[in-house]
Amino acid sequence: MPAVSMKDTIRQAAIDLFYRKGYFAASISEIAAASGIRKASLYHHYESKEALLFAILKETMDDLMAHLEACLKGIEEIEARMRAAVRGHVQFHLRRQKENFIANSELRGLTEAHYQAVVHRRDAYERVFQEIIGTGRRQGVFAPGDDKILSYAILTLCTAGASWFKPDGRLSVDEIAEIYENFIISGLKRAEGITGAVIADVSASAVRA
Amino acid sequence: MPAVSMKDTIRQAAIDLFYRKGYFAASISEIAAASGIRKASLYHHYESKEALLFAILKETMDDLMAHLEACLKGIEEIEARMRAAVRGHVQFHLRRQKENFIANSELRGLTEAHYQAVVHRRDAYERVFQEIIGTGRRQGVFAPGDDKILSYAILTLCTAGASWFKPDGRLSVDEIAEIYENFIISGLKRAEGITGAVIADVSASAVRA
DNA sequence: GTCTATAGAGTGATAGAC
DNA sequence: GTCTATCACTCTATAGAC
């Protein structure tokens, strides 16, 4: 068999184009051209443009979950679990930047059934984080708070790294992961002197409906 | 003059459709239909689809900056400034959810010149946060850290709220803003016992190139 | 300021030869 | 498994009547 199959070549070309131009702006012709074939030939490997998008998103979500489970395996202490989960999330998103970007921005291109399949996987992934946060809160390791909102906050914070990260930039994947780790653990534990007092609601005037 | 101009009606219809379907997936015909006119008539008000997108994004960015400046006006103490900035950012994003979502996801639809104009505005906005973080760090109020990365973290964290927030949901805008405020201030100050020690880099095996 | 009509290009997808 | 050719449709945008 060949080093890489045409199916994988198309996949990679699609990931690249969906990332750079967006799912709707990238055409089947372009993807085929980037793969070195004509557009009609592409339909031998994927039955539709949407099927190609779904194949990418499904595999990304499955790999993401597998990576998280591998990162958490054997770790019991709750702060260590949170650190490992954050580190794993950041690693995966920075190393597979394009796919993760697509997985977070192109869900609208999916059919209803495929959309549900991807969202169910995403929900299961988020639940792992919510469980760690809830356990830590009940153990008194983390400050009181809303598990769901905090999980969204943590996940999007790390995910966002993928949108500005440059592989040969100033900071390495692990350095960035460590910055996020410390920020998040501190945010969850709550620094001294945080009262939660509500300050004045400034200038709603500048905000329209 | 009319209560709302056709130009504004089109603007609102476009915001709604760009938000729900994405810029490329939403057509001029749909926007016109939602505005109660034919598509040819739309070109009397906006010279192209891209001009319509730019008008929305430019105004959103200008209003965002104006809102931040109003929130910070007269506040000197650094922690209070950070709280006010976060609160203002969350308020604006939750109250003008759709426009902000578009401003964060549809930049690829702009011409090069218009893209630059929006990005310059976004950079200026981010610099306000970086300045607060840097000042706080130098004053010793916040822990050592990377101003830029922390500013991206803070901004995307709050921005993300706009993607799951429901105006008549369980929590109000101000309650959400307060959760973020406390999380961020804690993250910046750093909780006790955070050493910054690097834990093992787990299972790069599950992550492909 | 809105309309009908249409230009001109590109889209996703299919038929059928090789 | 890739090709050429084409279908049926949609898209942004324009011309010109009213």
Side-chain angles (χ1 to χ4, degrees):
Chain A
M1 54 181 161
V4 287
S5 64
M6 177 52 72
K7 192 159 182 166
D8 280 349
T9 303
I10 293 168
R11 226 187 85 98
Q12 276 307 314
I15 288 172
D16 190 60
L17 280 160
F18 290 166
Y19 173 73
R20 278 168 34 218
K21 312 187 68 173
Y23 174 69
F24 287 103
S27 75
I28 288 285
S29 304
E30 286 175 299
I31 297 167
S35 308
I37 53 171
R38 303 289 173 186
K39 64 176 174 176
S41 313
L42 191 147
Y43 288 90
H44 177 75
H45 303 279
Y46 294 94
E47 71 171 351
S48 71
K49 188 184 180 184
E50 192 269 345
L52 177 50
L53 176 64
F54 179 60
I56 293 168
L57 298 194
K58 181 178 173 298
E59 197 179 320
T60 302
M61 296 309 290
D62 285 341
D63 290 355
L64 175 63
M65 184 58 120
H67 186 244
L68 178 64
E69 283 167 353
C71 287
L72 289 175
K73 196 164 191 174
I75 301 180
E76 296 292 337
E77 198 259 313
I78 206 69
E79 183 176 329
R81 278 180 76 79
M82 192 72 225
R83 282 185 179 274
V86 167
R87 176 157 295 242
H89 185 78
V90 175
Q91 284 172 343
F92 192 86
H93 277 72
L94 297 195
R95 291 192 183 138
R96 288 172 67 173
Q97 230 177 342
K98 294 179 186 178
E99 286 160 274
N100 281 296
F101 180 83
I102 298 167
N104 281 288
S105 58
E106 300 294 1
L107 291 241
R108 282 179 301 203
L110 297 171
T111 60
E112 184 58 28
H114 285 167
Y115 176 83
Q116 290 299 333
V118 173
V119 166
H120 283 147
R121 282 170 167 78
R122 191 189 62 188
D123 288 348
Y125 183 77
E126 288 175 353
R127 270 197 299 277
V128 176
F129 282 79
Q130 285 159 19
E131 227 177 84
I132 298 174
I133 295 168
T135 303
R137 183 175 42 71
R138 284 187 294 274
Q139 289 183 359
V141 177
F142 300 147
D146 186 285
D147 296 349
K148 282 209 174 181
I149 293 188
L150 288 174
S151 74
Y152 298 154
I154 290 166
L155 291 173
T156 37
L157 193 155
C158 302
T159 303
S163 57
W164 54 260
F165 177 68
K166 287 182 181 63
D168 42 0
R170 182 163 61 89
L171 293 163
S172 73
V173 169
D174 285 337
E175 282 166 334
I176 293 168
E178 200 188 327
I179 291 173
Y180 283 150
E181 250 185 73
N182 288 327
F183 184 85
I184 287 168
I185 294 290
S186 299
L188 286 172
K189 286 185 155 185
R190 189 150 308 171
E192 47 182 319
I194 304 289
T195 61
V198 178
I199 64 167
D201 181 352
V202 229
S203 72
S205 61
V207 182
R208 297 177 318 195
Chain B
M1 53 183 160
V4 287
S5 64
M6 179 51 74
K7 193 159 181 167
D8 281 348
T9 303
I10 293 168
R11 226 187 84 98
Q12 277 307 313
I15 288 171
D16 190 59
L17 281 159
F18 290 166
Y19 174 73
R20 280 169 32 217
K21 313 187 67 174
Y23 174 70
F24 287 103
S27 75
I28 289 285
S29 304
E30 286 175 300
I31 297 166
S35 308
I37 53 171
R38 304 287 173 187
K39 63 178 172 176
S41 313
L42 191 146
Y43 288 90
H44 176 74
H45 303 280
Y46 294 93
E47 72 171 352
S48 70
K49 189 184 180 184
E50 191 270 344
L52 176 52
L53 176 64
F54 179 59
I56 293 169
L57 298 194
K58 181 178 172 299
E59 198 179 319
T60 302
M61 295 310 288
D62 285 341
D63 290 355
L64 176 64
M65 184 57 120
H67 186 244
L68 178 63
E69 283 167 352
C71 287
L72 289 175
K73 195 164 192 175
I75 300 180
E76 297 293 336
E77 198 259 314
I78 206 69
E79 184 177 328
R81 278 180 76 78
M82 192 71 223
R83 282 184 179 275
V86 168
R87 176 157 295 241
H89 185 78
V90 174
Q91 284 173 342
F92 191 87
H93 278 73
L94 298 195
R95 291 194 184 136
R96 289 172 67 173
Q97 227 175 344
K98 294 179 185 177
E99 286 161 275
N100 281 296
F101 181 83
I102 299 166
N104 281 287
S105 57
E106 301 294 0
L107 290 247
R108 283 178 300 201
L110 296 171
T111 60
E112 184 58 29
H114 286 167
Y115 175 83
Q116 290 300 332
V118 172
V119 166
H120 281 147
R121 283 172 167 76
R122 191 189 61 188
D123 288 348
Y125 184 77
E126 288 175 353
R127 270 197 299 277
V128 176
F129 282 78
Q130 284 158 21
E131 227 178 84
I132 298 175
I133 295 168
T135 304
R137 183 175 42 71
R138 284 186 294 274
Q139 288 183 1
V141 178
F142 300 147
D146 186 284
D147 296 349
K148 282 207 174 184
I149 292 189
L150 288 174
S151 75
Y152 298 154
I154 290 166
L155 291 172
T156 37
L157 193 156
C158 302
T159 302
S163 57
W164 54 260
F165 176 68
K166 286 180 183 64
D168 42 359
R170 182 162 60 92
L171 293 162
S172 73
V173 169
D174 285 337
E175 283 166 334
I176 293 168
E178 201 189 326
I179 291 173
Y180 284 150
E181 251 184 72
N182 289 326
F183 184 85
I184 288 168
I185 294 290
S186 299
L188 286 172
K189 287 186 152 185
R190 190 148 308 172
E192 46 182 321
I194 304 288
T195 59
V198 178
I199 64 167
D201 181 352
V202 232
S203 70
S205 60
V207 182
R208 297 178 319 197

